[in-house]
Each structure stands twice: as C-alpha cells, then as structure tokens.
Amino acid sequence: MARLLNLTVVGWSAGGLDTQLTEPERIVARVARRLEPGAIILLHDGNIPAARLVATVVKLLLDRLRALEYQVVRLDRMLT
C-alpha cells in the first residue's frame, strides 16, 4: 500500500540569491535587507560546497539575525 504524504506549499520571502552569489557577506546582506517578522529565508546547497555554506553563510546569517534580535525557528514550528 502506498503511503500518501501531507505536503504544504510554502513561499519564501528572503532569498540569498546564493545560486548566483558566492561571497558569504553579500548573501547575508541580501537576506538581511529582506527581513521582516515571519520571514522565511531561502538558501540553496548547490552553488557553494555544503561545508562552506554552513561554516560561513549560515554562521554569519545566524549572527546577524541574533544581532537584530530575531528569533530563529524551524519552518514546521511556524506552520503549527
């Protein structure tokens, strides 16, 4: 018997354009300009090696979000 998944379509509101940009600071600056309460951030893992994405872009982004006093939550928590 096939198992059906319950999927929810969700849009994003703050993208890093990280498929085109490779400089972590530029990616974070682009996301930061589009932040607002409830923003959904879109990052890809294709253009930048995953280790570098996490070590640089995600770390810089989380530092910026904390400095701006945003609370970071998982998407599934926002949808419930």
Side-chain angles (χ1 to χ4, degrees):
M1 176 192 279
R3 180 177 167 195
L4 298 177
L5 298 176
N6 184 13
L7 301 177
T8 302
V9 176
V10 177
W12 49 270
S13 55
L17 202 60
D18 54 315
T19 57
Q20 297 174 13
L21 302 175
T22 58
E23 301 86 2
E25 294 80 11
R26 289 187 64 199
I27 294 168
V28 171
R30 181 176 167 79
V31 170
R33 286 192 302 272
R34 288 160 175 75
L35 287 177
E36 60 184 37
I40 297 175
I41 299 170
L42 172 68
L43 293 174
H44 300 85
D45 61 358
N47 194 35
I48 299 174
R52 182 169 170 225
L53 176 71
V54 172
T56 58
V57 176
V58 173
K59 182 184 179 323
L60 287 171
L61 183 56
L62 289 173
D63 290 346
R64 175 76 61 91
L65 292 170
R66 288 184 187 114
L68 295 171
E69 298 184 356
Y70 278 95
Q71 179 183 6
V72 178
V73 297
R74 291 183 353 198
L75 183 58
D76 63 333
R77 306 275 179 174
M78 286 180 61
L79 298 175
T80 57

